[in-house]
Amino acid sequence: MKKEDIQTYNYCDNINAYQRRQTVIVNIGGVPMGGDNPIRIQSMTTVDTMDTEGSIEEIIRMVESGCEYVRITAPSKKEAENLQEIKDGLRARGYNVPLVADIHFTPNAAEVAAKIVEKVRINPGNYADKKKFDFIEYDDATYQAELDRIREKFIPLVEICKEHGTAMRIGTNHGSLSDRILSRYGDTPLGMVESALEFLRICDELDYHEIVLSMKASNTQVMVQAYRLLVQKMEEEGLKPYPLHLGVTEAGDGEDGRVKSAVGIGTLLEDGLGDTVRVSLTEAPEAEAPVAEALIKRYDNRSTESKSINTPITSSPKNPFKYERRVTKEVATFGDHNVPRVIANFSQIEEITMKNLKVIGHHYLPATDKWAMSDHGADYIYTGKKALPFMAPNGLKNIVDASSWNSTEDTYPLFELDQYLNSEEVHQELNFVRVSFEAIDEATLTSLKQAENVVLIIHTENAHAMPELRALLFKLYSEEIKIPVVIERSYENLTDDQLQLYSSTDIGGLLIDGLGDGVMLSTTHTLEATEFCNRLSFGILQAARTRMTKTEYISCPSCGRTLFDLQETTAMIRQRTDHLKGVKIGIMGCIVNGPGEMADADYGYVGSGKGKITLYRGQEVVKRSVPEADAVDELIKLIDEDGNWFAPQQEVVQ
Ligand code: SF4
């Protein structure tokens, strides 16, 4: 990369110190967003919008759980009109929460809603376009004609919003880009950004600025790249710095949903991006706000509690709008083409028995005196001062402190930096060297350039952890030092939820940029906590899309359009298919948005009518209107026909 290109990456105010991006303030009812206002929390209802009482009750539960804005779907004029009833009912009960109408395909519903609620969300991929999956070659004149057509459809809504003081979110979804955008820009972060900019430019021209923007995707890499690119493009075009609404779509439920959300949303928050957060979980809507709150609370005192990162590298030396794994050489099983490795930390566990290894996915079966390994079998085990008292199974490798390392044993040493630089004996194949950002000075960089058979384990005590570790990796990147790197994070006194969210942000935020060749995550050193960290490490790798070890569920959070019980169905599908490592299954509540939203799923289970399911292979419909009672079996048949099905193995664990 040429030096002058480096300066062009300008997607946040500061990559080395916490600094919230300065955005314009947008008025949304009595709860302004952007500027120095707190990062707002929001969510979306799941009951039918025509069920006025049900909607009011659900919204109250959401507000009590922490929601500051509530979004409600308005699929047609009828639902848009009913927003007035819902609003009146809420106000009568003393709830002034700003309401947001969610619009897809129906400008007439948007125009009604904009006179009632405080904000309208439009999807630029389908506001003025019906999706036909056509690829059309546009020249400049035909493309301009399309933009003129959008303008004509969109201007009336902008005028209504201006007149009524209604805010608007231009909310792009990766899965529902228009044929026009796909034809010209493809299914890319740039396509997502352009999709919003087409509408934003019209608003700007009409001097309407009560705008919030979002770039959601269920693929965390695409999502992060699109938000960053949006900021950069707005700045390049001289547009106002509008607030950002952050979210990962169809994140799923439980731990997977939280980890995936934190990898995407947390990465952006670390760089000061984001003015409101919606965590989309396939759970009750009131379960979402506490997760969003835990994510954003981390930044309340970040700028005062963190140490400044002293580095001359003030702009990303790598393209932040594209996934590129840092080029490393292969050292044992680390780096180069190897998937990132997981190291389990057993250093504080007094007596390690064969049975204990079950918590990191290695099962000893005394009856047959054999070992088995699950998909979450750790690759390495760090045991501190003493080696494992038995032979490591299933290719598991043992790391010990260099001070206790004996070159005659089948173990690898872990050195502190000084120890390594002064050591007389090192392992011939693999040595771990633990370093922090401060330790990587010019002299160390020179020594590391010569180092062979070394994997760095990078760690930090700084509260601004991810950016400091990234700064260290950027130094290696800029100096073209190709040593593989393991990201080490250790946390104390956190709840399980906090541990999931914080580690996913800190580690996932590096992995989605292609930085990191391994993970070592620990907390209190009990077997239970070690099991949690091991599972979480694999979950983060999967959410960052760098190592797939389980089935991926892309399930929508459900809304008033949902045609079946999403939570129950997701649980049922998960129960039957969660052994299908690497297979991506989309579970979508409706056929209007579902197929688009599950963009990169291998199979789709989509509600297409009352009690009816349509099954997809990728984006292609393969079985229509399957009765709901048979749909899971039919889905499995479909997976089987493709040769992707195998029966789950019975676990024979003692
Ligand atoms: S895909 Fe799910 S969340 Fe999206 S509109 Fe349909 S039912 Fe609602």
Side-chain angles (χ1 to χ4, degrees), residues 37 141 281 317 327 331 342 363 398 414 416 421 498 601:
N37 287 295
L281 299 174
V327 176
V331 178
V342 172
H363 308 288
N398 189 188
L414 190 161
E416 295 302 322
L421 294 174
Q498 286 170 326

Side-chain angles (χ1 to χ4, degrees), residues 529-549:
T530 308
E531 180 171 30
F532 190 78
C533 287
N534 188 63
R535 192 180 64 235
L536 190 49
S537 300
F538 281 99
I540 297 169
L541 290 168
Q542 172 125 354
R545 303 175 83 88
T546 51
R547 181 172 178 179
M548 306 304 251
T549 46

Side-chain angles (χ1 to χ4, degrees), residues 93-147:
R93 290 172 68 169
Y95 288 88
N96 293 319
V97 60
L99 300 180
V100 186
D102 194 59
I103 307 290
H104 296 269
F105 298 106
T106 45
N108 60 354
E111 288 163 23
V112 172
K115 296 176 189 157
I116 301 170
V117 292
E118 285 75 17
K119 183 170 153 214
V120 212
R121 177 270 167 123
I122 61 141
N123 178 342
N126 60 29
Y127 189 76
D129 294 277
K130 294 266 178 291
K131 202 151 179 62
K132 301 194 189 96
F133 297 98
D134 283 343
F135 181 85
I136 306 153
E137 280 283 352
Y138 292 98
D139 58 22
D140 287 352
T142 48
Y143 203 89
Q144 186 56 46
E146 276 290 289
L147 295 181

Side-chain angles (χ1 to χ4, degrees), residues 22-315:
Q22 275 308 300
T23 52
V24 293
I25 296 175
V26 171
N27 292 307
I28 305 167
V31 187
M33 183 198 295
D36 291 328
N37 287 295
I39 301 171
R40 304 291 186 189
I41 295 171
Q42 59 176 296
S43 180
M44 187 166 178
T45 58
T46 58
V47 296
D48 187 334
T49 309
M50 294 312 291
D51 176 358
T52 308
E53 268 317 299
S55 297
I56 293 170
E57 290 296 334
E58 190 174 60
I59 291 169
I60 291 174
R61 290 198 298 278
M62 289 163 71
V63 171
E64 300 298 343
S65 74
C67 278
E68 295 172 282
Y69 311 114
V70 172
R71 185 155 47 111
I72 309 170
T73 186
S76 73
K77 261 177 93 174
K78 172 175 74 135
E79 285 86 0
E81 277 154 7
N82 202 50
L83 293 173
Q84 187 69 60
E85 300 297 316
I86 296 171
K87 185 172 172 177
D88 292 346
L90 282 166
R91 302 299 181 251
R93 290 172 68 169
Y95 288 88
N96 293 319
V97 60
L99 300 180
V100 186
D102 194 59
I103 307 290
H104 296 269
F105 298 106
T106 45
N108 60 354
E111 288 163 23
V112 172
K115 296 176 189 157
I116 301 170
V117 292
E118 285 75 17
K119 183 170 153 214
V120 212
R121 177 270 167 123
I122 61 141
N123 178 342
N126 60 29
Y127 189 76
D129 294 277
K130 294 266 178 291
K131 202 151 179 62
K132 301 194 189 96
F133 297 98
D134 283 343
F135 181 85
I136 306 153
E137 280 283 352
Y138 292 98
D139 58 22
D140 287 352
T142 48
Y143 203 89
Q144 186 56 46
E146 276 290 289
L147 295 181
D148 292 344
R149 187 180 58 80
I150 291 171
R151 218 180 126 78
E152 205 177 301
K153 281 210 171 179
F154 183 50
I155 285 178
L157 176 64
V158 177
E159 297 295 0
I160 294 170
C161 288
K162 278 177 81 171
E163 189 187 334
H164 290 262
T166 310
M168 183 189 296
R169 169 158 67 99
I170 304 175
T172 303
N173 271 8
H174 179 220
S176 53
L177 297 174
S178 65
D179 291 340
R180 178 184 61 264
I181 287 287
L182 287 173
S183 301
R184 183 163 271 205
Y185 300 96
D187 181 13
T188 60
L190 178 61
M192 293 173 68
V193 170
E194 273 302 322
S195 174
L197 289 180
E198 288 180 352
F199 283 72
L200 183 59
R201 290 179 195 120
I202 300 171
C203 296
D204 198 58
E205 234 177 85
L206 298 173
D207 203 19
Y208 171 65
H209 303 288
E210 300 298 319
I211 296 167
V212 180
L213 294 146
S214 64
M215 294 283 125
K216 297 194 191 180
S218 77
N219 177 328
T220 51
Q221 291 179 359
V222 170
M223 176 260 187
V224 167
Q225 291 157 10
Y227 276 100
R228 288 174 175 166
L229 189 60
L230 172 70
V231 173
Q232 172 130 337
K233 289 270 174 201
M234 283 200 290
E235 177 139 343
E236 280 171 7
E237 285 199 26
L239 294 159
K240 287 182 190 292
Y242 292 105
L244 299 179
H245 164 130
L246 304 186
V248 174
T249 49
E250 339 303 341
D253 59 355
E255 183 167 308
D256 289 350
R258 284 159 178 76
V259 169
K260 201 168 174 185
S261 300
V263 169
I265 297 169
T267 301
L268 294 164
L269 290 172
E270 288 286 318
D271 280 332
L273 301 180
D275 300 278
T276 181
V277 165
R278 192 256 168 129
V279 172
S280 303
L281 299 174
T282 309
E283 295 178 22
E286 55 269 31
E288 296 182 346
V291 180
E293 190 178 356
L295 273 173
I296 62 178
K297 265 208 122 4
R298 234 187 146 192
Y299 304 92
D300 281 357
N301 302 313
R302 175 64 68 89
S303 44
T304 50
E305 283 174 356
S306 54
K307 279 193 294 170
S308 63
I309 303 166
N310 186 9
T311 172
I313 303 171
T314 55
S315 173

